[in-house]
Amino acid sequence: MSAAPAYNSLLIEDQEFEENGTSSNQRRRTIRPDLQIRPPTYYGDGPFDPPSSDDEAEVLLEKNRGRASFMADQDTFGDSEPGNGLVVGQKRPAPLRWLVISLASLVLLSAAIGIIAATTLYNGKTYRAPGAQKISLEHVFNGTFWPEQNGLHWVPEAGDGVFSIMQDYQIKLVDLKTNTTTTLVSMTDVKDQSGKTVYWSDWKLSADMKYILVKANRVKQWRHSSFGNYYVHNLETKSTFPIIPPSYPPVTAYATWSPTGQSIAFVASNDLYVLPSPSESATAIRVTTAGNASLFHGVPDWIYEEEVFEDEYALWWSPDSSKLAFLRLDETAVDEYRFPIYNPTDDAFTVNPYTKDTVIKYPKPGYNNPLASIHIFDVSRYLSGGHSPGDTTYELNWEGRFPVDNSVIAEVAWVANETLIVKEVNRAADSGSVILFNGNGGRTATGVVVRKLGKDGEEGDEGWIDSHQSIYPIPESLLSGSSSAYLDIVPSKEGYNHIALFEPADSGTPRFLTSGTWEVTGGIQAVDAHRGLVYFQAARPSTERHLYSVPIALGDSFNSVEPTPLTDESTPSSYSTSFSPGSGFYLLNYKGPNVPWQKVIQVDNTDFDYVLTDNAALNTTLSLYETPVVTYSTIESDGFELNVKEMRPSRMDDSGRTKYAVLFFVYGGPVSQKVNVDYSRDWHEFLVCTLQYIVVIVDGRGTGFKGRTLRNPVRNNLGFWETQDQINAARIWAGKDYVDPKRIGIWGWSYGGFMASKVAEADAGIHSLAMAIAPVISWRLYDSVYTERYMGLPDDNPGGYINASISRVDGFRHVDYLLGHGSGDDNVHFANSAHMLDMLTQAGVRDFRFRMFTDSDHSISRRGGNREVYEYMASFLQEKWGKGGRRRGW
């Protein structure tokens, strides 16, 4: 399940909203007794009666400053409250005058303290002095605050430290070692058989750098996958030919070179082929022949692409290119899900008399999953002659394998030329195995279970087996003899994800290279065979990301040592990286909290300086605009320490005289994180700086990077403890002097929309507003692999599925509820919101707002939809809450 998508740039004039619209509804809140099947009473404390400002004297305080000086418009307070007895320009009675002066002094003092506080991130201040200009939605969407970020495409075939750039319609190779740039290919040289230029979007270089494989006519399928017509271009002769005759629409889903030699593996119409040489006269080997719309070879179906591999391929060359492993997925028995496309064009005014359905084989909890099996095509044996593809292709099996209808193939990885590792888990993701296949040069179809996963294995608790692709082979140059070894990310006994060495590869005992109450994130970044180092990223502390190295200690020399930081740990910050193939260079991406930058680092050469982006102009731009005061802290909820991020208006009156609305932003899905120090200037900054709201983010139970102890409680009961954490946090903020407890709301997208709806359902009497975009409403309507990983199967956990869904709607009478969903959402189906609307209708709940975004998928981006979502929510907030802080009269 994805988080809230990024914002799309749509150049539309910003709208002006009514400044003084507020919600006048006075609601009586009660907590309905829980259904018997639920855990004990929802949140246990009864109705909440928070402190409040006087209803009769509440007015809206709009701090609409056009100048940088806070002192210059201090008389705003007097003008903003007509009828309260404060007349500007007239002499006041002495006692009142002294009272006014004293209060004004306190306000100025608090403002001064606030401005002084705006210097350090963790002390509740911004990390740059606030400017004067207000942020508009136009700024958010037109790129005003977007940092320039460039990817670095390393070219391993050209050697270590070589990357490609696109310049003047040419692909050029930049060699950092020699500081030279050479032209690899001109796009205009790639022509089809009729002499027309082939316009391509992706390319891959052969191992010998003599050929380039290009992808043209790209047609998007799902999140990661697409189809295209593939061509091979000879860089010396400049001749080009298609690997199969081009078609429109194209039918080739994936193609890739072998790691050595000149073979190409590709999947067309769901069958696997191998082209043994890049020659127009070469005949492709058809490895499989049964491929159809429900039978996949070498590429994932929807569920494996979305929830397992998170990629477009399911085939794996052995390091020496002698064998090709691939996944076969049979989704014949998987039920279809259909949704209509009302308008396939980009013109909203187009009228289509008839809709066209999109059909997906989409497995839901408790229903049929695709049946997965792993096969190996022995390329070398076939090419030796005398064998058919069927004779040289075999299926892998192992003792103790789960029944095929209760099996998920979670990972496949070669760790040596003849050694393959497979991870299998059951549908409930509480039991699994790591299986080793070692051919030793021969044909082997039976593997050996070398590791156990789950509650009776490495995890050793009642949680789930995480889904990630993390196996990393140890280079041969570091090994002795013919043995193989690999690294993996494994939970320690304390429940934190760390790097473990398995040497030899058939070992079942992890030797941890890292340890501690922090977690390795993002897998292994690189292994430097020359220096004997492993590079990795870690959440240390949990809201940050830093880069580290640790030695690989093999054999008897094994000894765990403290990692060496490669980024500055003294300042709260976040980094990501991309290593060159030989690990001699790496692109270091500084991601925040300040303006991002990128530079290339050469290992062991401090004099090397290659800045990719510095975003200097963005620094200048940001100095002109208001900046939120950002504070990071932790709170305690039922004994669990939770990370919190609070964003306040930069010139906020925090004396307690002025009461501000608070909007909680939540995602909250398992292993997710929203409280981090990454750079951000988005819709939330608009809410804080322009609408003068406070935005708070709390990562509750179930979220990531703080160990399994925090994650595991949500197992089999999604949405219950996470909701309690959000309500507990709201209780804390409701008691703060500067918060208006009658204007506390929550919003989220996807899982966050589910969370916002669960908070409304809980009816705890704290939140007066909830906004849910593309929410899951019932987990019976989401996909099987994701849901069963955290909830088990419905037949084994019927009460949990009821408790984890929105199943009662009385609480929605007591909040201002906004619901939005794209009708073409292939991930969280529109059926969720349709179900929600049906329940509200039957219960007679009418005071809510709903918006369907026609044909939009989960990102809601069709025909201007993305910006409209945020415009719509901003308008709703101002209608219900008004704009700015509220304060009593004198």
Side-chain angles (χ1 to χ4, degrees), residues 155-229:
V155 184
E157 299 81 7
D160 195 37
V162 179
F163 66 91
S164 67
I165 59 174
M166 178 69 74
Q167 191 177 76
D168 300 327
Y169 300 100
Q170 295 178 324
I171 294 177
K172 297 185 178 182
L173 302 183
V174 178
D175 191 329
L176 294 172
K177 289 182 178 178
T178 61
N179 195 27
T180 58
T181 301
T182 58
T183 299
L184 177 67
V185 63
S186 173
M187 294 188 71
T188 58
D189 287 341
V190 183
K191 302 180 185 295
D192 63 18
Q193 293 170 307
S194 63
K196 296 181 180 178
T197 299
V198 174
Y199 295 99
W200 37 278
S201 57
D202 192 16
W203 61 277
K204 299 173 183 176
L205 197 58
S206 63
D208 58 9
M209 294 186 63
K210 292 182 179 179
Y211 301 90
I212 187 172
L213 178 68
V214 302
K215 180 178 183 178
N217 312 117
R218 181 182 182 274
V219 176
K220 183 181 183 297
Q221 185 179 212
W222 309 123
R223 188 190 302 268
H224 306 284
S225 60
S226 61
F227 295 96
N229 290 315

Side-chain angles (χ1 to χ4, degrees), residues 59-62 75-82 84 887:
V59 295
L60 188 67
L61 176 61
E62 171 56 37
D75 61 345
T76 302
F77 293 90
D79 291 337
S80 68
E81 298 187 43
N84 64 3
R887 70 188 185 94

Side-chain angles (χ1 to χ4, degrees), residues 127-438:
Y127 23 91
R128 63 182 73 87
Q133 296 185 36
K134 293 288 185 182
I135 298 174
S136 70
L137 279 174
E138 184 66 25
H139 295 127
V140 171
F141 285 93
N142 68 8
T144 297
F145 305 124
W146 297 351
E148 178 188 358
Q149 293 178 298
N150 297 312
L152 203 60
H153 181 196
W154 298 108
V155 184
E157 299 81 7
D160 195 37
V162 179
F163 66 91
S164 67
I165 59 174
M166 178 69 74
Q167 191 177 76
D168 300 327
Y169 300 100
Q170 295 178 324
I171 294 177
K172 297 185 178 182
L173 302 183
V174 178
D175 191 329
L176 294 172
K177 289 182 178 178
T178 61
N179 195 27
T180 58
T181 301
T182 58
T183 299
L184 177 67
V185 63
S186 173
M187 294 188 71
T188 58
D189 287 341
V190 183
K191 302 180 185 295
D192 63 18
Q193 293 170 307
S194 63
K196 296 181 180 178
T197 299
V198 174
Y199 295 99
W200 37 278
S201 57
D202 192 16
W203 61 277
K204 299 173 183 176
L205 197 58
S206 63
D208 58 9
M209 294 186 63
K210 292 182 179 179
Y211 301 90
I212 187 172
L213 178 68
V214 302
K215 180 178 183 178
N217 312 117
R218 181 182 182 274
V219 176
K220 183 181 183 297
Q221 185 179 212
W222 309 123
R223 188 190 302 268
H224 306 284
S225 60
S226 61
F227 295 96
N229 290 315
Y230 286 82
Y231 297 80
V232 174
H233 179 73
N234 187 313
L235 294 172
E236 181 179 355
T237 66
K238 298 185 179 181
S239 60
T240 307
F241 71 92
I243 59 174
I244 63 170
S247 62
Y248 306 94
V251 297
T252 304
Y254 184 71
T256 189
W257 293 101
S258 56
T260 62
Q262 298 178 337
S263 297
I264 298 173
F266 65 93
V267 178
S269 299
N270 286 338
D271 270 323
L272 177 63
Y273 297 78
V274 173
L275 188 65
S277 65
S279 167
E280 191 169 4
S281 60
T283 301
I285 305 164
R286 187 169 183 174
V287 180
T288 65
T289 59
N292 57 49
S294 298
L295 191 59
F296 298 74
H297 302 91
V299 291
D301 68 341
W302 185 91
I303 192 73
Y304 266 79
E305 175 183 328
E306 178 71 19
E307 302 294 4
V308 182
F309 298 132
E310 298 183 12
D311 217 322
E312 61 180 339
Y313 65 90
L315 58 85
W316 304 269
W317 283 102
S318 63
D320 63 358
S321 306
S322 65
K323 295 179 175 63
L324 182 64
F326 63 94
L327 196 67
R328 179 183 187 269
L329 290 167
D330 183 356
E331 59 174 22
T332 303
V334 176
D335 291 290
E336 292 181 347
Y337 182 80
R338 296 171 176 266
F339 56 87
I341 299 299
Y342 297 97
N343 179 6
T345 76
D346 291 328
D347 181 6
F349 294 93
T350 298
V351 176
N352 290 279
Y354 298 97
T355 62
K356 181 178 180 181
D357 281 358
T358 294
V359 181
I360 311 174
K361 292 274 192 171
Y362 187 107
K364 300 196 176 188
Y367 288 82
N368 293 326
N369 263 5
L371 307 179
S373 56
I374 309 168
H375 304 255
I376 289 181
F377 174 51
D378 193 330
V379 182
S380 295
R381 187 164 176 259
Y382 173 85
L383 293 177
S384 66
H387 303 284
S388 68
D391 293 337
T392 52
T393 303
Y394 48 94
E395 182 178 349
L396 303 185
N397 290 294
W398 55 94
E399 186 176 351
R401 182 176 182 184
F402 293 116
V404 66
D405 60 354
N406 188 32
S407 172
V408 175
I409 302 301
E411 187 170 11
V412 179
W414 292 93
V415 296
N417 291 333
E418 299 288 340
T419 306
L420 185 73
I421 294 288
V422 173
K423 286 184 183 178
E424 181 198 32
V425 300
N426 64 349
R427 288 180 62 153
D430 59 3
S431 181
S433 302
V434 176
I435 307 99
L436 176 77
F437 295 87
N438 197 339

